[in-house]
Amino acid sequence: MRFFIAAISVAAFFFSGNAAFADKRVAFVVGNGAYRNVPQLPNPVVDAQAMAKVLRSVGFDVVEGTNLTRDKMTDKLLEFGRRAEGADIAVFYYAGHGIAVNGTNYLLPVDADLKSEMDVKLGAAINVDLTLDQTLADAKVKLVFLDACRDNPFAAKIRSARATRSIAVDSGLADMKSGEGTLIAFATGPGQTALDGESGTNSPFTRALVAHITQPGVEIQQAMTEVRAEVNEETNKNQLPWDHTNLVGSVYLNPAAAPADKAGPTSAEPSVATAPASEIEIEFWRSVKDSNKPEELNAYLTSYPAGQFKSLALARIAALQDGPSTTTRNLTTGIDPATFSADADQISEDQLGLSRNQRRDVQRRLTGLGFDTRANGKFDDETRAVIKRWQAARGYPQTGYLNDWQHKALVSEIVSTQMASADEGDEEAVHHSHHGGGGRHYYRSGPGGLFGHMMGGLFGRR
């Protein structure tokens, strides 16, 4: 009963916490991949769709577009600039080709045909500095994510063009500095190139962003630390995202479970949760701390992923699961009904933000439940097939991917045998080679405006 009352109290708190999303949140999300004059990029559209979905889930009004020509991209930017006026948080996300010329960054519409520096500067490309200055100037908090650090095929054309003065065309995007209240993040470091990923999936950078930036109670700079670590690990240390931050307060895209000891918001902290959650958390913990049901302890961890009693809850769960038991598995008690109807896909699984160790934990649990798979921390085809078998046995939608409900259900299952105790050796690290055409990996060209030169041809026709 105490657990039930505490759960009701927490649910009421989170419902009232939805007021934290009442601030004005606007996002620009564009993915360009179907280039007409150079080889196409397979994943920016998928990346943009995933980012738009996750931002909408935390209350953003999203101006979205894919495979935009220069005119269409201009229209979207004008619309975004209007909507972003007076915004508490404005997000600018772009996936596709970009280029740095003489230290200035440009984003490339799908109809770009760059043969010289003049083409870049007189309207064929979008100047990043001017764009951000004109569209985001009035927003209190500005978050910029540029997944555009690919090896740009236009660069060689521009370098070889006859010019009256020297021109520097970088391999990736150039360094940028953020103004007050701004975070600018790139898929990799200045002048470097980043992987586009397996065809039809998210790039490593966008996959990590989707998994971490809207985690409940995770501050955006902490989330970016996790993004860097995940991309660095996934790419075998070949790609390290880079950012420049000039935020003057803590920013939460999903403040539902923000730390209880945070001070009230300042004008630069529109998304910090301010409700006094500490007493509720303590009461919740008291109601479950002596429980013999892992699902009740996991309910605490779900509500307070960075809670004061997290380590105690994890230790208690480990003791319950690893200790001797002849209890058979209870597969339905306490399971959210949505588990049996909600489909899971790559996006829902990415949003779980599972680390390699957590993926190993999933694999060990499946093996302990009789669905044998290797605990290598990678959800390969073998693991996907095993997840499907587990889903079929439980009556869940059979997709081979996990969502939040299914992951909670798996974690809460009481296993009558020990989970596999030893990891198998990691398979040989995936080699992320740089291909220049139809290979499995592609690159986008690197970071760097808009309304300021409207009369000068930035938005004019070529």
Side-chain angles (χ1 to χ4, degrees), residues 15 122 172 182 197 205 222 246 257 287 301-302 349 399-400 408 425 437 449 452:
F15 180 78
L122 294 184
T182 304
F205 180 58
Q222 177 188 349
N246 222 339
S287 73
L301 292 173
T302 300
E349 189 172 277
T399 64
K408 289 176 184 175

Side-chain angles (χ1 to χ4, degrees), residues 26-80:
V26 183
F28 173 85
V29 177
V30 165
N32 285 340
Y35 286 91
R36 301 173 183 177
N37 299 299
V38 292
Q40 298 186 358
L41 294 169
N43 297 332
V45 170
V46 179
D47 290 335
Q49 291 170 342
M51 182 60 69
K53 180 177 179 180
V54 76
L55 289 174
R56 286 193 177 101
S57 74
V58 289
F60 277 85
D61 173 20
V62 180
V63 177
E64 182 180 5
T66 57
N67 293 328
L68 300 181
T69 63
R70 178 183 43 76
D71 289 344
K72 293 293 185 182
M73 197 165 174
T74 298
D75 290 342
K76 291 291 183 182
L77 286 166
L78 288 167
E79 179 184 356
F80 172 62

Side-chain angles (χ1 to χ4, degrees), residues 75-252:
D75 290 342
K76 291 291 183 182
L77 286 166
L78 288 167
E79 179 184 356
F80 172 62
R82 288 191 294 268
R83 293 195 196 181
E85 291 180 0
D88 293 291
I89 305 180
V91 169
F92 186 100
Y93 171 88
Y94 173 81
H97 272 314
I99 194 168
V101 178
N102 286 337
T104 300
N105 294 311
Y106 299 86
L107 307 180
L108 302 187
V110 295
D111 58 346
D113 188 12
L114 308 181
K115 300 181 179 69
S116 68
E117 181 185 10
M118 187 177 296
D119 288 331
V120 176
K121 293 188 173 183
L122 294 184
I126 304 296
N127 183 303
V128 177
D129 292 313
L130 293 174
T131 297
L132 298 181
D133 181 61
Q134 295 299 316
T135 60
L136 301 180
D138 200 34
K140 295 176 183 176
V141 172
K142 312 165 187 68
L143 306 178
V144 180
F145 304 105
L146 298 177
D147 197 354
C149 302
R150 276 62 175 170
D151 191 11
N152 197 310
F154 286 115
K157 291 183 179 180
I158 298 173
R159 290 192 193 102
S160 63
R162 183 182 298 274
T164 58
R165 56 189 174 86
S166 62
I167 179 171
V169 183
D170 297 331
S171 296
L173 292 176
D175 188 7
M176 288 178 63
K177 302 299 182 185
S178 57
E180 182 178 331
T182 304
L183 179 149
I184 300 178
F186 304 99
T188 191
Q192 301 178 26
T193 54
L195 288 166
D196 196 41
E198 298 279 346
S199 180
T201 67
N202 293 129
S203 74
F205 180 58
T206 293
R207 180 161 47 249
L209 286 176
V210 168
H212 293 289
I213 63 173
T214 60
Q215 285 292 304
V218 177
E219 203 274 333
I220 190 63
Q221 295 180 76
Q222 177 188 349
M224 292 312 299
T225 297
E226 295 171 353
V227 167
R228 285 192 293 273
E230 181 171 312
V231 173
N232 196 38
E233 177 186 3
E234 181 177 340
T235 62
N236 198 26
K237 302 188 184 301
N238 288 320
Q239 179 181 331
L240 184 64
W242 177 90
D243 62 68
H244 188 275
T245 304
N246 222 339
L247 297 175
V248 294
S250 299
V251 176
Y252 294 84

